Amino acid sequence: MTGNQLREKFLSYFASKGHTIVESSSLVPHDDPTLLFTNAGMFQFKRVFMGEEHRDYSRAVSCQRCVRAGGKHNDLENVGHTARHHTFFEMLGNFSFGDYFKKEAIDFAWEFLTKELAISPERLWVTIFREDDEAQALWEQIDNLPKGRIVRLGEKDNFWAMGDTGPCGPCSEIHIDQGAEHGCGRPDCALGCDCDRFLELWNLVFMQFYRDADGTLTKLPKPSIDTGMGVERVAAVLQGKFNNFDGDLFAPLIAKVERLSGRTYHANRSDDAAMRVIADHARATAFLVADGVLPSNEGRGYVLRRVMRRAIRFGRTLGLTGLFFGEVCREIVRTMRDTYPHLSDSVQLLQKVTDHEESRFGETLDKGLAMLDAEIARLLEEQPASQLISGDFIFKLYDTYGFPKDIVRDAALEQGLGIDDAGFEAAMQEQREQSRRSWKGKDVDHFSAGLISLLEQGKKSEFVGYYGTYAAESVAEAILDNQGSLISRATIGAQVQVFCPQTPFYAESGGQVGDTGIITWPGGSLAVQFTKAAAEGLVLHSGTITAGTLTVGQQVSLQVDDRRAATALNHTATHLLHAAMKELLGSHVKQAGSLVRPDRLRFDFTHFSPVTPEEIRAIEQLVNKEIRRNTPVQTAVLAKEAAIAEGATALFGEKYGEEVRVVSVPGFSKELCGGTHTAATGDIGLFKIISETGIAAGVRRIEAVTGQAALDWLQKLAAQADELGKLLSGSFEDALVKVPALLKRQKELEKEISALSASAAAADLDSLLAGAVEVGGIKVISGLLKLDSPKTLREVGDKVRDKMGSGAALLGGEFDGKVALLALVSKDLTGRIKAGEIVSAAAVIVGGKGGGRPDMAQAGGPMADKLPEAIRAMPSIVARLLEACR
């Protein structure tokens, strides 16, 4: 049975048992910033198990894509060296949310393994928690489970908990006996041994308790089921393989690496490990990039970079020195796109990400590996039995070449060496402390007492500002002072936050800034300076009382100012920009952030090269074409799945409810969006990109203006062009001809000036040499030069050194208001005096410093008025140095 067939059979079986098939969630957890990656099938149901979320089904089945490559769950270093560890894997699971419990979970699992997959019961064993008599009794009711196959184990092996507190419960694991030939050979080898004989296939978690902070277990009113079974592991078993990498899910990847490297799988252990690492890490890379993760120096991006660089390094052991990793990753897309169609959407981005990272890392990898190989050879030659690669050396590789520590560990392991983890951590400590001090996390506003009170009362705000609505009538149901406390009234000058159950003010979210405006009542007004959702659904209007007194319960009029209209133009333009870039640059373009203000828009997007001027012009043309079409902007509220099915773009990292608002420009753009928009694209008037820059690896930024701001920008540009034309005594069109000619002439004149300066300095050379004096038997030369560049000083210095014979010289000049000094000492005298000592002493006089070789040294300083004094001091400087060396 293939891995694909196993996946489909599992989902179909549980669907036939009343389970809803739930699509795999993203590898990037949207609800838990503390977790790097989704690492288990139950994660997307965590809030359901906690009772914080309700689904319209009580039984679910899924095949969840998972990554374990960072944080607490990190299998990275084991991948390639063991039969079962992966960074990316698929987890099959069936779940019950207060529906069925232990009996059904056990019956389903046993039936699926022994009947659907036809695994012989004679090969199966079961473990249960040592105190779970109920599970023991239920397993004993399975007729064809051989006697004596139920083993009780402790909490470490058979008790599962979501965390230190929260839902938890005993679990039961089903294992398969792969035969004594795959065991450790010890006579006491049994279930629980670390060898490969007894392989865990399926873990059934019986979530029946809630653990308090003091460790007290309380029975849950509705116990639940959470199970997990790895696709790669079970597929290998069904195919008669004893290593997951020998199964069909990895076969095309291994074959691809064989073709690229010219090596043969199963020819030697070293090549086998390298091929497995590359195949596994390519899977993780392809799926992480498809879920929006890009290589970077922090967080999830850093883990991805480590994964990619580890694979690239193992490629070197196979003789792969060119770009190869991207080809293996694209093989993932080819073989798995039918199961995970979203892989195809990111294939262009994947190619750019892999090629960019491989090119970037390859520039330094070979240098670092050469140093590492030399260090390993030295250690093996000195004392191979007990050597560690020192922490200082590992840190040097890391600091100089960006080598992840695990690359050094892998290389050491291959040669039977260890690494000095403690020494490396000590070398890193100062950098870590500095990083901690400079790290700036998100601002965390602790809920005030007043806000907590409003939330407990269930207060919610209804936004009534769509469809061009700028005004509304409502009630000031609550007032908070600047300390966050609820108050009954506020007078003129007070800074407050006001809650109204209905509001036309848009609260900052989705990249769109919050509205400003005014709230009025008879005899009073509040200038609204900021609008923010203090909590989900609870909008507060922040501002200053400018007239009268506001009391709780007062009927008020809310009026949004004109900034909203300009903001709406920019928001709709952002949607047009996004669609245009996808069409012209490729489907890999994804929004990575945005800011929509009244005066401009900012759009961050995934792309691995600067957008060329030609591409920018094409994007502007396409967006403005859509503006001229004056297409009405349509909005609709749909079920999320229906909206996605209709082709609406969901932005990565955004959290959506079951119902979503869809904003469409028919025939061009369709996105899930809760922001405010213009009625028709023609309202935008004009769109102009004003800058395009890179802000991170693989992330670019466009800033643009629309409407009146775009016209203002173009008029300012035109005025500058006119002014430039006047300066050139012509029109702006003439500048394209005149400016290159002026620049060319400037370079010619600079060359002439340089030649004249050198010639003049050379003419003065004879008088400079003739002015030499003798100090302690040494010929000493000093003089001032006219400089058109620091280069002139070196040119004259070379001529002085060639002609002065035995002696010492100090030359100086002024350039751009600063001093340049050059000291020379003939080689026969460097044992008595050194050029660096001379120039340092002279530099002090002009307020500077310098140094260099014993025979030549340079210095600079800011005090140009002191230059003559420094040059005159040369004889006394030499005398002092000679006296000091006696």
Side-chain angles (χ1 to χ4, degrees), residues 28-29 32-33 35-37 293-294 298-305:
V28 178
D32 190 346
L35 188 65
L36 277 176
F37 304 110
V293 181
L294 297 174
E298 60 184 12
R300 298 182 179 101
Y302 176 64
V303 174
L304 174 58
R305 174 162 284 165

Side-chain angles (χ1 to χ4, degrees), residues 116-179:
E116 298 294 321
L117 301 186
I119 297 176
S120 171
E122 296 298 326
R123 301 181 63 194
L124 298 178
W125 289 72
V126 172
T127 63
I128 62 173
F129 181 49
R130 63 192 173 203
E131 300 173 14
D132 196 350
D133 297 332
E134 181 184 6
Q136 173 90 27
L138 290 170
W139 276 114
E140 288 175 347
Q141 293 175 20
I142 302 295
D143 292 335
N144 55 347
L145 174 62
K147 300 298 181 184
R149 295 293 180 86
I150 305 171
V151 179
R152 294 185 182 236
L153 295 176
E155 186 169 342
K156 177 183 177 183
D157 296 292
N158 280 86
F159 195 92
W160 180 91
M162 190 177 290
D164 293 335
T165 62
C168 59
C171 58
S172 181
E173 297 175 346
I174 304 173
H175 301 252
I176 188 168
D177 184 354
Q178 299 195 97

Side-chain angles (χ1 to χ4, degrees), residues 163-419:
D164 293 335
T165 62
C168 59
C171 58
S172 181
E173 297 175 346
I174 304 173
H175 301 252
I176 188 168
D177 184 354
Q178 299 195 97
E181 65 273 21
H182 295 287
C184 57
R186 298 199 305 267
D188 60 343
C189 181
L191 210 63
C193 183
D194 291 333
C195 69
D196 285 336
R197 175 172 178 175
F198 297 98
L199 178 68
E200 177 196 335
L201 292 182
W202 205 341
N203 186 15
L204 315 177
V205 177
F206 308 134
M207 212 175 297
Q208 65 187 96
F209 300 111
Y210 187 93
R211 177 179 282 162
D212 294 327
D214 61 2
T216 302
L217 295 178
T218 305
K219 285 189 176 182
L220 294 172
K222 290 185 177 181
S224 300
I225 291 294
D226 159 30
T227 81
M229 177 165 61
V231 173
E232 297 81 2
R233 180 175 298 197
V234 178
V237 168
L238 296 176
Q239 294 160 24
K241 309 295 184 181
F242 298 96
N243 189 305
N244 291 3
F245 291 95
D246 294 342
D248 75 301
L249 292 171
F250 288 92
L253 308 179
I254 298 290
K256 184 72 173 181
V257 180
E258 286 183 303
R259 291 192 297 273
L260 291 170
S261 66
R263 308 282 180 94
T264 303
Y265 188 49
H266 286 322
N268 64 72
R269 291 183 62 184
S270 177
D271 286 356
D272 288 354
M275 291 184 182
R276 291 167 183 164
V277 167
I278 293 168
D280 174 273
H281 291 8
R283 291 191 351 142
T285 298
F287 277 92
L288 285 171
V289 171
D291 276 351
V293 181
L294 297 174
S296 68
N297 289 326
E298 60 184 12
R300 298 182 179 101
Y302 176 64
V303 174
L304 174 58
R305 174 162 284 165
R306 288 180 63 198
V307 167
M308 295 178 71
R309 290 187 170 188
R310 187 168 187 257
I312 294 164
R313 181 260 159 184
F314 271 98
R316 290 294 194 273
T317 69
L318 296 175
L320 293 167
T321 56
L323 299 179
F324 75 93
F325 189 56
E327 293 192 46
V328 185
C329 291
R330 290 189 286 278
E331 187 70 17
I332 305 290
V333 178
R334 188 186 69 78
T335 58
M336 300 192 74
R337 62 189 172 197
D338 290 341
T339 304
Y340 298 103
H342 73 295
L343 288 174
S344 296
D345 297 336
S346 62
V347 66
Q348 291 178 314
L349 176 62
L350 178 64
Q351 179 175 346
K352 292 185 178 183
V353 168
T354 51
D355 289 353
H356 179 270
E357 189 67 21
E358 194 166 3
S359 298
R360 182 182 179 197
F361 187 48
E363 295 173 0
T364 57
L365 178 60
D366 292 331
K367 294 179 181 178
L369 284 176
M371 290 177 61
L372 180 57
D373 290 343
E375 179 68 6
I376 288 175
R378 184 186 69 80
L379 292 174
L380 291 174
E381 182 178 349
E382 289 183 359
Q383 190 180 357
S386 61
Q387 284 294 326
L388 295 175
I389 298 179
S390 75
D392 288 340
F393 178 80
I394 300 170
F395 178 77
K396 180 180 179 181
L397 284 180
Y398 170 83
D399 196 45
T400 306
Y401 297 104
F403 254 53
K405 185 173 65 172
D406 32 296
I407 287 184
V408 182
R409 177 182 284 104
D410 287 329
L413 183 64
E414 291 167 7
Q415 299 296 331
L417 297 173
I419 67 171

